[in-house]
Amino acid sequence: MAPLSICINTQTPLVQFLDDPDRGRGLPHDGVDLTTLRDGVDYRYSPGGVTRMVYPLVRRLLEKGILDEAHWVALNPRAPATAHLGPMTLHHVALDPERMSGYAAVKEAIWGRVHEIDADDRNEQLFWSEAFAAYEYYNRSTAELIRRLDERHNFDTFYVHDFQQMPVGHMLGTLKPKVFRWHIPFDGAALPEEWRALFTTYLHAYDVLVVSAERYAVSLRALAPKAQVVRYYPYVDPADYTRPDPAAVAGVARRLGISGRADVALVVGRMDPIKGQDLAIRAFAELASDYPRLELVLVGNGSFSGSRAGLGLSKSARWRSHLEGLVRAADLSDRVRFTGHLPQSDLDALYERCRFTLLPSVREGFGLVAVESWLHGKPAIITNRAGISELVHDGENGLLFDPDDSASLPRAMRRLLDGRSGPLRRRLARNGLATSQECSVEAAERAERALLAPPAEA
Amino acid sequence: MVGLAVVLGWFRPYETAGATAVATVLVVLLVRELVGRLMRRSNPQMAVAARRLGSVVVALIGGTLTLQALGASPDILLLVIGVLGATILIALREPLGNYGAKFFSEIYTPFKVGDSIRVQGFAGKVIEINAMSTILLSDDEQLISVPNVAMVRDVVVNTSPQAWREITIPVAVASAVDLPTFESELRKSLTKLRTRLDPRFPPFLTTKARSPQSTDVLLTVMLRRPEDRDAITLEVNQRVTEVLQRVRATRA
């Protein structure tokens, strides 16, 4: 098969540029080569699924010669127009602050409805608002940029990611293959009636729709009956997860104030109400007196949407403040740590250090952090609202809990804290590691190649 | 322009011809502007065609006068143009009729590719509208080619569900106009009509074709009440023209 040329489109950019006025320099110029800049100083990889999943796949396909070039178009208002990372070119779409604000409002409204956490009646008029004009402006600008790139590079396939970018396929106006990956949960019943027709039109513009769990596929097929809907589990590259040396683990634990004999329960996720960190804190508070060595570590900041370099939404800061209030009220400040965003090496050390991980989300498209936990050999307690829960057999490769049942999470935690929990923890870790292979980039490669190759060669 | 040519006829032929050519260009620009203003409430595609037709007519007259200034006989030139035109019309009567019918049916006939229609006793899904004919795919998978003239001469029934709601307006967006800005501004403008439009379906643009000169898009709006069709079509046409002019002026 001849090497392919693909165009990827995400809202979140692969990298965010760190502009430090104190260093007396601005953003790099257009066409910057990222290998000449310093990771963590001049730029950083965006946290979340884009970096964890899409990038390893593209890197792997490039290394294997399946792709000969990849262009990645994303929203990145504080970045040079283009940047190069090896054979990959990053293209950035900018928006003026007014349109950015409108775009963000619509995106949040759709996100809230899909996650069933915002049933604001005004949403029914959303498509007639000025904010929606800004949302469409962003997507049309993205589609036009991709079209211009296609004129130069003659792409084989367009791979569009996540709900924010849903109109792009329709706007591209091309007959070439277009694949759309819906990353967040999908329940068509949660959509207002006023939204369904436009969603259907936009979704039908794609050749294939990919979702992360079977339950989303069923719901999506009902909304877009003419679309080909497939379910592929999200994935990570296991090679990215190395076991840190004990000295590094001890150093990170010391720096974060984790006591030497602590039993650490680890929660990794952005600061967001749907991530359910409040459930973890309440469960921890219930168990704190019974397990005096138990400590809770919460890793994560806002997403690209909450960052200054991104959409600038402040919900992550508000949520963290709320969580800190819960901890203070329970008088547990000395046993709960908020670390914020951590570099991968520190995160690896925390996975190594913890006794188990929690995925307490009230809604979760999939839950790759559970896979990360398994790859580090740690048992995971997983919400039954996450897409990944359909891979979990309770008591075999993980423990499931119901976020609507307040006793459910503390009960699951007790099972991993009791003195005789060793065999259970080892079984969950061992079976979890085996399950993680279903979410590895190796397993995904064949499916993704079939999606990305032109139909005649697939 | 004729008077100008007579006055200039006192001068040498090359200067006269040059001045006539310049005057022709100016009149072409004037005609384009006047036709554009007069057709503000018409379909944007019709307005473009009318501007183009006006420009061609003026250019032909101006060209004839320019050649006359250089010594060519106007009678012979007009005769040649007339004979050529008549020959083309007679030779291509059928295809031109179909082409013309396509142009008008594109703008005024309420169906598009993807709709199910019935015409001249045939029924099927429209899978192609080309310069000569409209291709239908029948339920038993037969291809039916209906000449485009039938679409303007005969009764066409659009049997697609909710077809009455849909108004589609072809718009050529010149490459000088920023498409995202045009779409965004048009959306804001059409929001004023939202009480008359189907709340479930905001206006949206579908890209049909691209060329270095323009992007051809199809604007779709969905009606709330069938009796508003004519008024909404007129109003939307006017708003499209206004927004196109405004965005073009802003960019200039």
Side-chain angles (χ1 to χ4, degrees):
Chain A
M1 191 174 78
L4 304 172
S5 169
I6 67 165
C7 183
I8 295 154
N9 177 218
T10 59
Q11 176 212 258
T12 303
L14 178 61
V15 297
Q16 296 171 41
F17 288 83
L18 306 172
D19 185 22
D20 184 356
D22 295 339
R23 295 202 309 273
R25 51 172 298 201
L27 290 168
H29 295 297
D30 189 22
V32 65
D33 182 353
L34 281 175
T35 59
T36 65
L37 303 179
R38 291 163 298 172
D39 182 6
V41 178
D42 300 307
Y43 71 93
R44 68 165 180 155
Y45 288 92
S46 296
V50 164
T51 306
R52 278 269 163 263
M53 185 177 136
V54 184
Y55 179 46
L57 173 77
V58 175
R59 199 177 53 199
R60 190 179 177 90
L61 297 180
L62 284 165
E63 283 166 3
K64 290 190 166 187
I66 296 162
L67 301 180
D68 66 353
E69 62 176 339
H71 292 259
W72 190 323
V73 176
L75 176 62
N76 208 348
R78 294 170 55 83
T82 58
H84 300 284
L85 184 59
M88 189 158 58
T89 307
L90 312 178
H91 304 266
H92 298 135
V93 177
L95 274 184
D96 59 80
E98 192 181 341
R99 284 197 175 106
M100 181 70 93
S101 165
Y103 162 72
V106 172
K107 178 211 135 154
E108 283 299 295
I110 295 174
W111 187 90
R113 270 302 177 115
V114 171
H115 285 86
E116 299 176 72
I117 58 169
D118 180 8
D120 189 337
D121 288 344
R122 288 170 301 178
N123 285 348
E124 270 108 56
Q125 288 295 314
L126 184 72
F127 292 165
W128 297 90
S129 64
E130 291 219 357
F132 189 70
Y135 173 80
E136 295 282 274
Y137 176 90
Y138 160 64
N139 276 287
R140 180 67 73 177
S141 299
T142 300
E144 287 295 291
L145 173 57
I146 293 173
R147 184 188 60 76
R148 289 194 297 275
L149 292 171
D150 187 37
E151 285 173 0
R152 269 185 285 162
H153 301 282
N154 192 21
F155 298 126
D156 292 290
T157 303
F158 302 90
Y159 200 176
V160 180
H161 286 262
D162 225 351
F163 74 99
Q164 306 95 328
Q165 312 295 127
M166 186 171 46
V168 166
H170 176 84
M171 291 174 171
L172 278 175
T174 175
L175 296 175
K176 291 182 180 178
K178 298 180 289 290
V179 180
F180 180 64
R181 179 137 203 159
W182 182 282
H183 287 263
I184 60 177
F186 186 82
D187 179 4
L191 296 179
E193 179 60 30
E194 287 79 358
W195 293 9
R196 302 171 72 85
L198 190 63
F199 270 49
T200 302
T201 301
Y202 282 155
L203 292 170
H204 277 157
Y206 294 94
D207 297 273
V208 186
L209 305 176
V210 188
V211 290
S212 303
E214 197 53 47
R215 68 184 93 157
Y216 310 149
V218 170
S219 191
L220 199 56
R221 283 185 194 112
L223 184 71
K226 294 182 194 166
Q228 183 191 350
V229 182
V230 295
R231 188 273 299 144
Y232 293 140
Y233 293 126
Y235 46 84
V236 294
D237 189 346
D240 288 343
Y241 298 85
T242 52
R243 191 163 192 174
D245 69 77
V249 175
V252 170
R254 208 167 32 249
R255 179 153 48 81
L256 295 175
I258 298 168
S259 55
R261 289 167 49 82
D263 289 329
V264 174
L266 178 63
V267 180
V268 179
R270 70 173 183 275
M271 286 291 147
D272 191 306
I274 69 150
K275 293 294 181 182
Q277 289 99 340
D278 56 333
L279 299 180
I281 290 170
R282 289 196 174 95
F284 174 75
E286 196 175 320
L287 301 174
S289 57
D290 292 346
Y291 301 96
R293 282 163 50 184
L294 181 61
E295 295 187 14
L296 180 64
V297 178
L298 300 155
V299 179
N301 260 353
S303 63
F304 174 71
S305 298
S307 69
R308 196 172 62 89
L311 306 189
L313 298 172
S314 59
K315 67 177 178 181
S316 54
R318 285 201 306 271
W319 183 241
R320 176 165 171 165
S321 174
H322 170 71
L323 295 176
E324 287 171 338
L326 288 179
V327 172
R328 277 195 304 274
D331 196 21
L332 291 167
S333 298
D334 57 335
R335 292 172 64 185
V336 180
R337 318 263 174 258
F338 291 87
T339 71
H341 173 78
L342 289 179
Q344 188 58 42
S345 55
D346 287 4
L347 192 53
D348 288 339
L350 277 180
Y351 274 120
E352 185 68 21
R353 177 66 184 79
C354 75
R355 186 177 178 98
F356 58 84
T357 63
L358 300 173
L359 178 61
S361 309
V362 290
R363 292 282 181 284
E364 182 74 54
F366 188 68
L368 275 174
V369 291
V371 179
E372 294 182 330
S373 176
W374 290 335
L375 287 167
H376 283 280
K378 295 301 164 105
I381 300 175
I382 296 165
T383 168
N384 64 8
R385 303 294 165 79
I388 198 173
S389 65
E390 69 184 40
L391 277 175
V392 176
H393 303 283
D394 190 50
E396 291 301 317
N397 56 357
L399 297 181
L400 289 171
F401 80 96
D402 179 358
D404 283 343
D405 175 3
S406 59
S408 179
L409 180 55
R411 194 165 53 235
M413 291 171 70
R414 277 184 198 280
R415 292 175 69 183
L416 298 183
L417 287 166
D418 282 346
R420 289 166 295 177
S421 66
L424 174 63
R425 281 189 282 125
R426 282 192 289 278
R427 183 169 74 242
L428 296 181
R430 187 175 59 248
N431 293 339
L433 182 61
T435 307
S436 73
Q437 289 173 11
E438 292 193 52
C439 306
S440 72
V441 72
E442 288 95 337
E445 188 187 306
R446 181 189 296 267
E448 292 283 11
R449 280 173 66 171
L451 286 177
L452 298 178
E457 296 182 69
Chain B
M1 221 178 321
V2 177
L4 181 71
V6 172
V7 172
L8 290 173
W10 294 331
F11 298 97
R12 285 179 301 180
Y14 291 116
E15 281 84 348
T16 308
T20 308
V22 170
T24 301
V25 171
L26 291 174
V27 176
V28 164
L29 292 174
L30 186 66
V31 165
R32 284 174 64 87
E33 180 64 24
L34 281 174
V35 173
R37 281 174 188 272
L38 285 171
M39 298 194 70
R40 283 179 72 168
R41 291 175 69 88
S42 305
N43 178 285
Q45 198 119 318
M46 278 291 283
V48 168
R51 279 209 303 269
R52 194 172 294 152
L53 183 66
S55 305
V56 169
V57 169
V58 173
L60 273 177
I61 295 170
T64 307
L65 290 174
T66 305
L67 290 172
Q68 182 189 1
L70 291 170
S73 164
D75 299 339
I76 292 173
L77 283 170
L78 289 173
L79 185 65
V80 168
I81 291 170
V83 169
L84 268 177
T87 307
I88 290 168
L89 281 175
I90 291 167
L92 302 176
R93 191 181 50 175
E94 284 295 314
L96 282 177
N98 280 322
Y99 188 79
K102 176 186 184 283
F103 177 78
F104 286 104
S105 67
E106 224 171 45
I107 294 167
Y108 292 113
T109 307
F111 69 81
K112 64 180 190 318
V113 171
D115 284 353
S116 295
I117 65 167
R118 204 168 58 231
V119 58
Q120 289 189 332
F122 298 101
K125 185 176 185 176
V126 180
I127 59 170
E128 181 187 335
I129 305 172
N130 62 42
M132 296 294 118
S133 57
T134 296
I135 312 295
L136 308 183
L137 179 65
S138 67
D139 287 344
D140 54 356
E141 298 204 342
Q142 288 184 325
L143 283 179
I144 303 164
S145 174
V146 182
N148 286 332
V149 282
M151 300 298 173
V152 286
R153 279 190 195 149
D154 289 314
V155 175
V156 181
V157 182
N158 190 333
T159 55
S160 311
Q162 307 272 319
W164 65 267
R165 285 187 185 277
E166 195 171 293
I167 299 175
T168 54
I169 296 172
V171 183
V173 182
S175 51
V177 174
D178 181 54
L179 182 57
T181 305
F182 166 69
E183 181 178 24
S184 179
E185 293 304 309
L186 181 62
R187 193 175 286 284
K188 287 182 202 169
S189 176
L190 295 179
T191 292
K192 312 285 184 201
L193 307 177
R194 68 179 178 277
T195 55
R196 302 275 177 172
L197 299 175
D198 187 335
R200 298 168 302 174
F201 225 98
F204 75 99
L205 297 183
T206 305
T207 309
K208 304 305 287 183
R210 294 180 192 277
S211 72
Q213 289 77 37
S214 66
T215 302
D216 293 339
V217 296
L218 210 56
L219 168 66
T220 305
V221 295
M222 302 286 267
L223 295 173
R224 196 186 282 248
R225 287 188 291 270
E227 60 270 25
D228 284 343
R229 188 174 186 92
D230 193 36
I232 291 286
T233 305
L234 274 176
E235 182 70 24
V236 171
N237 275 325
Q238 186 174 3
R239 285 173 184 268
V240 168
T241 306
E242 282 170 3
V243 171
L244 269 176
Q245 287 173 349
R246 195 169 69 235
V247 174
R248 191 196 296 265
T250 309
R251 194 167 172 103

